[in-house]
Amino acid sequence: MGSSDVDGLDAVLRLDDAWNAAYHRRDPDAMAAVLADDWVGFFPDGRAVFKAELLEGMRHNPPVTLMFERHAARVHGETGFTRGTLYANGSRVQSFFRVYARRGGEWRAVGVQVVP
């Protein structure tokens, strides 16, 4: 792994941690800073959810105790990913595969695939 990939991995891990914190706190403003404007999420029910819808949904989600477990993280040039599991109130809820991209020197989340 080259030094730019190591720097990219550090940036991706920071963004992934910021995603987890924003989701845990139900903070759409913090989440907005993590997500690219063209971010899209694919959920187990087959829905595609876009940034504005995710942020609006966060405003209405009830508080819950969340824990995130990261299983893998990699960077390949201008693209990175993380893979993990989300637990709510101690029970496994879902697993996720998040995709990050560097555009114009800035890293942002560009997508997620969520599975039960």
Side-chain angles (χ1 to χ4, degrees):
M1 186 182 300
S3 66
S4 66
D5 283 350
V6 171
D7 292 343
L9 183 59
D10 288 344
V12 164
L13 292 175
R14 280 192 302 274
L15 270 179
D16 205 53
D17 288 343
W19 178 319
N20 294 343
Y23 199 77
H24 177 75
R25 291 189 320 262
R26 303 293 201 248
D27 185 343
D29 294 330
M31 182 64 88
V34 172
L35 305 180
D37 288 339
D38 60 349
W39 177 91
V40 62
F42 300 98
F43 289 85
D45 63 2
R47 289 181 311 127
V49 174
F50 299 93
K51 182 177 179 175
E53 184 180 355
L54 179 78
L55 298 177
E56 183 59 27
M58 288 179 73
R59 292 176 185 16
H60 305 290
N61 288 336
V64 65
T65 301
L66 300 175
M67 186 187 88
F68 296 86
E69 182 177 57
R70 187 167 32 234
H71 304 290
R74 301 282 187 277
V75 167
H76 303 281
E78 304 297 305
T79 306
F81 72 84
T82 62
R83 166 81 171 77
T85 301
L86 169 65
Y87 299 85
N89 293 327
S91 296
R92 181 183 172 156
V93 176
Q94 63 193 24
S95 292
F96 54 85
F97 183 85
R98 296 173 181 161
V99 181
Y100 298 88
R102 181 171 34 207
R103 298 172 174 166
E106 297 275 332
W107 284 94
R108 291 290 179 265
V110 294
V112 66
Q113 171 72 55
V114 178
V115 296

